[in-house]
Amino acid sequence: MFLILAVVFHGAIGVGTIVTAFFTGPLIEFFTQRVSTPLMASVLPPAAADEPVTTAAGVDETTGGEGSDAAGDGSSAREN
């Protein structure tokens, strides 16, 4: 994306542009795994296994979403 923007806007493409373009994603992933995830695990209490996890939209992520069967594979039929 950075390289494309540099070409589109006739910007200078140098070492910094190349490093930014190719290493932004891997660096974010590295620091997320090494810093953010352990930090959040130490701050937040573990979630109870009995409680369903719901998203802001109210979808139950533990069973595969609204209207799914007990197996969680979503093969149950819905009535309209």
Side-chain angles (χ1 to χ4, degrees):
M1 183 72 177
F2 291 109
L3 287 174
I4 294 170
L5 288 174
V7 170
V8 168
F9 292 111
H10 304 290
I13 299 176
V15 175
T17 306
I18 302 296
V19 168
T20 302
F22 289 105
F23 294 109
T24 300
L27 285 173
I28 290 172
E29 183 66 26
F30 174 80
F31 284 107
T32 298
Q33 289 177 355
R34 305 276 190 219
V35 177
S36 182
T37 303
L39 181 63
M40 293 303 290
S42 69
V43 173
L44 297 176
D50 299 339
E51 297 178 19
V53 178
T54 57
T55 62
V59 176
D60 184 2
E61 292 181 347
T62 57
T63 60
E66 295 175 319
S68 64
D69 62 347
D73 62 1
S75 61
S76 65
R78 287 184 157 183
E79 295 183 35
N80 290 336

